[in-house]
Amino acid sequence: MTAILGRVRRWLSGIRAKIVLLSALLLALPFIGYNYVWELENVLRQGQEQTLMGSARAFSMTLNQQPALFERQRYTKPRIEEGRDLYAIALQSPIDLDGSVLDWQRYQVHAVHYGEEHVIFSRTPYKSDELSFNVNLASDSDDIYALVDVVDSTPVLKRPKTARIDRNDHLIISLTTPEGELKRYAVTSTTSGRADVDLIETTIDDPATIFPSEAITAWWQETASGYVIELAIPDWLVGEKLAFTYYDVKNTYSRDVDTILATSNPRNAETLGTLLTPSPAIEKVLNRMNDGSSRVWVVDQHGRVLAKSGDLGSANGVWENTIKYQEPPSGVMGWLQTHILNPLYYQLLEKPPETIIDAMHDASIVRGVDVQQALLGRPYANWRLTDDDSAMILSAAYPIRVDGKVIGAVVVEETTVGIRTLRNKALEQLFNVLLVVICTGVIVLLLFGSHISRRVRQLRDDAESAVDPQGRVRHQLEPTASKDEIGDLSRTLSTMVTRLSEYNSYLEKMSSSLSHELRTPVAVVRSSLENLAFVTEDDDQKRYIARAQEGVVRLATILTSMTEATRLEQSFEHAERTLFPLDKVVEGCVQGYEYAYPEQTFEMRIATANYQMEGVPEYVAQLLDKLVANAVEFHQQGTAVGIHLVAQRGRALLTVSNIGPLLPENMGNQLLGSMVSVRDEKHKSDKAHLGLGLYVARLVAEFHQGALSINNRVTGDGVIVTVELPLK
């Protein structure tokens, strides 16, 4: 585990890892591109706002040129009252007059409730849980449909075959015709089903002025809480005013009207509430101009919807057309884009909603700051969120003027789905390009870093192999022809190794030159001292001559030792290699050491193996002589010198160890150099010690393609020298 962590740590500290980390700066490109596309979306939104305002202006200008479409809106009261002034929404699906409220479920949100505030007359205190009704109005351009859902705790139906229609629960429809004439129709029923509709000429209590009418179709249905009354009033019959009045009879004996509840006072045409219905003519104009990329509303001066065209679900603006007809990617790239990249991208991107949830889909009144400003004569654009916060809706309102008076407004709406989809497509393409750029950049940088690190490692390996642990130059460095910094470093190291080689050569030849130059003066001094000894009879002079002769002998010994290594290296060039058993050579040498050092104990262990090797046995014996001589010299009195031989993986390990003083710190490899010796006062003697013994042993080991190392024993009580030699 430690080795793995070490390799990982070395890799992280290498050039390749640093270049890969530096390449992480490329990740700033997606961030920059992402922000750029977001800014681009803001620009597109501003463009969409300007475009939508232009569309609203175009719709408004077209409608301004057709004032006849707004003839009824020119006389609309400046103020409307909720509940009194009625509005029929545009039908989205057909209505069947069958007494069922299922057809009206989608329009229930537009129902208007009538209760205590709308009581015109009551004999007894009014109770809302006993009497009230809701009114829904809808128009399909041919008929105006009404649903009157009555809560009546005391239902009293019309008696069969009676001429009176006012002695029971009944509904009065008060309206003005397009010509402004006031008409009233009574709706009664004897049982659930098709209701009776009568035109009231003067008063309801005079049967002579009541005539059956087929203009209005009605259905009267009893329910658990009262009645459901469905009506179909032809559009040609209704003008600007309409009111519904419910007369409640509680006493089945007297059959007098107890309570009158109305949408507005039906006394005369002036007291009736107004009626507004969607304009099919305006809707035709909108449908002719609208291409479906927007939803368009036309509202009157009170915000009531006159016409609508388009659906917000498809109102994604003109921006969607830029991507609507793009061919999706195919093949491997298409699969990669669909199954790999897009799921990854949409972890960051907001995907446009597939459906738009908008509470104003069936709105009867459009209110908002944009509409309010437009009705004041100021064009205005406004942004709002959908109810589920999934998309933004942009609405632009523009006033409609007839004879210089604002009588309504055009509201054009679009969602940002088109822009968001365009933004996402742009980000997808940008991310694809950046992904390729980043991957290519990382790979190129990694290859470049690997190339640089390979060159540096090669230069390092060449430099390490050029110089051995003792500082000798094994081979010259070949300088590279590269013109970069690594090439300069290679040429500098090559020059340094060349200079080091020349200096080592000078040092190696110096001992031979010195010994050659000093031998003649030493011989002259020696002969002169010998001659002087013959002619001198003074004892004091003889004593000085003897000491001088001892010095000359020591000097001659030093010169001989200095030339020993040089002669050995020179003999390597002419040595003849032979196969010989290493274990036999070691055994023979140890036997000789027992005679040479009779007072010293040797401990020899040779593991059973085949120790055949190629080389010069005399050189190996000389190597062992040097090691044993050092071990005997430094061993502790009374301890044995260990000589062990084992075979491991085709190589022989020969160790010579002794118990004694330890090596100085960091001196192991230095002791293998020429003329390096470390001895304390205890081990110094009159004999010259130039530190050439281990140096000669190292030369012999290297001559046999082996290695020599010297270390303190693991037990910490001495020194061990290990020689590694190849076996055949």
Side-chain angles (χ1 to χ4, degrees):
M1 188 63 183
T2 305
I4 296 176
L5 291 176
R7 285 197 296 270
V8 171
R9 194 176 296 111
R10 285 194 300 272
W11 187 88
L12 291 177
S13 62
I15 295 177
R16 283 179 296 181
K18 292 176 181 177
I19 289 181
V20 170
L21 291 177
L22 288 176
S23 66
L25 294 175
L26 294 174
L27 296 177
L29 294 177
F31 177 76
I32 296 173
Y34 185 79
N35 288 333
Y36 173 76
V37 174
W38 271 102
E39 290 298 325
L40 180 62
E41 181 184 3
N42 292 332
V43 174
L44 291 178
R45 285 190 177 186
Q46 295 175 8
Q48 184 181 20
E49 185 174 321
Q50 297 298 323
T51 302
L52 202 62
M53 185 60 73
S55 299
R57 183 176 182 275
F59 280 107
S60 176
M61 294 299 101
T62 301
L63 295 174
N64 288 344
Q65 297 172 5
Q66 304 179 59
L69 297 174
F70 301 94
E71 189 65 28
R72 296 179 62 178
Q73 280 68 43
R74 297 175 63 181
Y75 305 103
T76 301
K77 296 187 301 181
R79 186 175 181 181
I80 62 173
E81 299 178 22
E82 187 174 357
R84 182 176 183 275
D85 297 294
L86 304 177
Y87 173 76
I89 64 173
L91 273 179
Q92 304 297 323
S93 57
I95 295 292
D96 294 327
L97 298 183
D98 54 4
S100 174
V101 297
L102 295 178
D103 295 340
W104 296 87
Q105 287 295 330
R106 64 185 303 177
Y107 310 112
Q108 288 299 319
V109 67
H110 304 293
V112 181
H113 180 73
Y114 295 87
E116 183 176 5
E117 295 179 356
H118 301 86
V119 174
I120 296 178
F121 168 80
S122 182
R123 295 179 184 273
T124 59
Y126 173 80
K127 296 181 180 179
S128 60
D129 58 340
E130 294 182 355
L131 181 65
S132 64
F133 66 82
N134 294 334
V135 175
N136 274 81
L137 290 177
S139 172
D140 65 354
S141 75
D142 292 327
D143 295 287
I144 298 173
Y145 292 89
L147 174 69
V148 183
D149 188 359
V150 182
V151 174
D152 190 346
S153 61
T154 57
V156 178
L157 293 176
K158 177 183 176 183
R159 288 179 293 189
K161 299 180 181 181
T162 179
R164 296 289 296 271
I165 61 174
D166 61 335
R167 312 295 288 175
N168 46 260
D169 297 333
H170 57 280
L171 180 71
I172 299 298
I173 305 172
S174 304
L175 56 85
T176 58
T177 63
E179 293 77 19
E181 180 184 359
L182 175 64
K183 287 190 176 184
R184 294 186 297 165
Y185 294 87
V187 181
T188 59
S189 181
T190 58
T191 183
S192 295
R194 184 73 175 265
D196 299 324
V197 180
D198 298 288
L199 173 63
I200 304 173
E201 286 286 352
T202 55
T203 59
I204 193 172
D205 55 357
D206 185 2
T209 60
I210 298 174
F211 304 97
S213 174
E214 296 183 356
I216 299 176
T217 304
W219 188 281
W220 192 291
Q221 183 69 41
E222 289 187 88
T223 64
S225 59
Y227 310 111
V228 168
I229 305 171
E230 280 189 290
L231 305 170
I233 307 172
D235 186 67
W236 56 263
L237 180 62
V238 184
E240 296 181 5
K241 302 292 186 70
L242 177 66
F244 296 99
T245 307
Y246 182 76
Y247 293 79
D248 179 40
V249 175
K250 292 184 178 181
N251 195 317
T252 58
Y253 296 100
S254 65
R255 289 184 175 265
D256 293 328
V257 174
D258 185 80
T259 305
I260 301 176
L261 195 63
T263 59
S264 60
N265 197 325
R267 180 184 307 168
N268 51 53
E270 286 72 20
T271 59
L272 294 180
T274 60
L275 171 67
L276 180 67
T277 59
S279 172
I282 297 177
E283 187 171 341
K284 287 181 181 178
V285 174
L286 297 183
N287 290 334
R288 191 164 55 245
M289 296 180 60
N290 189 14
D291 59 357
S293 61
S294 305
R295 183 172 70 179
V296 186
W297 306 84
V298 175
V299 300
D300 69 354
Q301 56 186 306
H302 300 296
R304 295 178 295 181
V305 177
L306 297 176
K308 186 185 79 167
S309 175
D311 183 74
L312 199 61
S314 58
N316 299 326
V318 297
W319 309 102
E320 190 182 33
N321 296 332
T322 61
I323 57 177
K324 186 175 182 180
Y325 302 106
Q326 289 183 359
E327 291 292 334
S330 58
V332 176
M333 188 58 196
W335 182 91
L336 183 65
Q337 181 77 37
T338 303
H339 296 87
I340 304 297
L341 298 180
N342 283 352
L344 179 63
Y345 294 160
Y346 283 96
Q347 296 294 323
L348 300 174
L349 302 180
E350 185 178 354
K351 197 170 186 178
E354 296 182 359
T355 57
I356 300 297
I357 301 176
D358 182 26
M360 292 184 60
H361 179 70
D362 294 322
S364 59
I365 297 179
V366 178
R367 292 189 176 95
V369 63
D370 51 339
V371 177
Q372 294 173 4
Q373 292 295 320
L375 293 177
L376 293 175
R378 295 188 288 266
Y380 197 85
N382 183 47
W383 293 89
R384 74 174 191 273
L385 280 170
T386 57
D387 295 341
D388 58 353
D389 297 340
S390 62
M392 292 288 293
I393 299 175
L394 171 62
S395 60
Y398 208 92
I400 300 174
R401 290 183 172 88
V402 174
D403 297 334
K405 178 184 177 183
V406 177
I407 62 171
V410 175
V411 182
V412 184
E413 294 179 324
E414 290 180 0
T415 67
T416 58
V417 172
I419 288 181
R420 187 176 296 177
T421 304
L422 182 62
R423 178 203 67 190
N424 289 351
K425 289 294 182 183
L427 284 174
E428 288 176 17
Q429 295 176 2
L430 177 64
F431 286 164
N432 289 342
V433 173
L434 290 180
L435 184 62
V436 173
V437 171
I438 291 174
C439 291
T440 304
V442 170
I443 292 174
V444 170
L445 288 175
L446 185 59
L447 292 176
F448 176 72
S450 299
H451 175 66
I452 294 296
S453 62
R454 180 184 60 80
R455 292 178 61 193
V456 172
R457 284 198 308 272
Q458 183 178 359
L459 182 58
R460 178 204 63 191
D461 295 341
D462 290 344
E464 286 183 351
S465 62
V467 181
D468 64 9
Q470 287 72 41
R472 297 181 64 189
V473 177
R474 293 174 178 171
H475 61 81
Q476 294 295 327
L477 281 180
E478 290 294 334
T480 61
S482 176
K483 302 300 182 182
D484 57 9
E485 289 80 359
I486 297 179
D488 292 340
L489 178 60
S490 172
R491 289 186 287 274
T492 300
L493 290 178
S494 176
T495 303
M496 291 175 58
V497 170
T498 300
R499 292 174 182 173
L500 181 61
S501 175
E502 293 173 353
Y503 183 68
N504 284 344
S505 177
Y506 164 74
L507 292 178
E508 291 172 355
K509 294 178 180 179
M510 184 177 66
S511 61
S512 177
S513 299
L514 286 176
S515 62
H516 176 73
E517 295 296 331
L518 292 177
R519 283 187 183 278
T520 300
V522 169
V524 172
V525 173
R526 177 183 294 177
S527 61
S528 298
L529 289 175
E530 289 177 353
N531 292 331
L532 185 60
F534 285 117
V535 298
T536 301
E537 296 181 355
D538 188 354
D539 292 337
D540 291 335
Q541 291 181 353
K542 289 183 178 181
R543 185 169 61 252
Y544 293 138
I545 293 173
R547 292 181 61 184
Q549 287 178 338
E550 291 177 0
V552 171
V553 171
R554 291 188 63 188
L555 185 58
T557 303
I558 291 173
L559 294 177
T560 302
S561 299
M562 290 175 62
T563 58
E564 180 182 7
T566 303
R567 291 198 304 270
L568 181 63
E569 287 187 278
Q570 292 174 353
S571 67
F572 287 162
E573 300 177 1
H574 307 286
E576 294 184 2
R577 296 175 179 268
T578 61
L579 285 175
F580 66 93
L582 177 61
D583 52 341
K584 300 301 181 182
V585 173
V586 173
E587 289 179 359
C589 289
V590 173
Q591 291 176 4
Y593 301 148
E594 291 176 349
Y595 291 104
Y597 306 100
E599 297 180 355
Q600 177 62 46
T601 305
F602 294 94
E603 178 186 339
M604 181 181 65
R605 288 206 305 267
I606 299 178
T608 303
N610 182 9
Y611 291 100
Q612 288 291 325
M613 66 173 289
E614 184 179 6
V616 181
E618 290 79 8
Y619 291 166
V620 175
Q622 189 175 1
L623 176 150
L624 192 56
D625 291 344
K626 300 296 184 182
L627 299 183
V628 171
N630 261 11
V632 171
E633 183 176 356
F634 287 93
H635 86 288
Q636 182 178 329
Q637 192 70 26
T639 61
V641 173
I643 302 173
H644 302 158
L645 180 64
V646 296
Q648 291 183 358
R649 299 177 182 176
R651 301 182 76 82
L653 296 181
L654 175 63
T655 61
V656 178
S657 62
N658 67 277
I659 297 176
L662 301 178
L663 295 174
E665 187 176 357
N666 299 325
M667 284 296 293
N669 289 331
Q670 296 184 31
L671 291 175
L672 302 180
S674 175
M675 302 182 72
V676 178
S677 177
V678 179
R679 296 171 184 270
D680 55 20
E681 294 296 331
K682 180 180 178 181
H683 294 88
K684 286 185 177 180
S685 64
D686 293 337
K687 185 178 179 181
H689 294 281
L690 300 181
L692 293 172
L694 292 177
Y695 174 68
V696 171
R698 179 176 66 81
L699 293 179
V700 173
E702 292 177 353
F703 170 74
H704 290 88
Q705 286 80 45
L708 185 144
S709 62
I710 179 170
N711 299 282
N712 291 322
R713 285 164 53 114
V714 178
T715 55
D717 56 358
V719 177
I720 182 171
V721 181
T722 303
V723 182
E724 184 178 348
L725 298 172
L727 296 176
K728 276 291 184 180

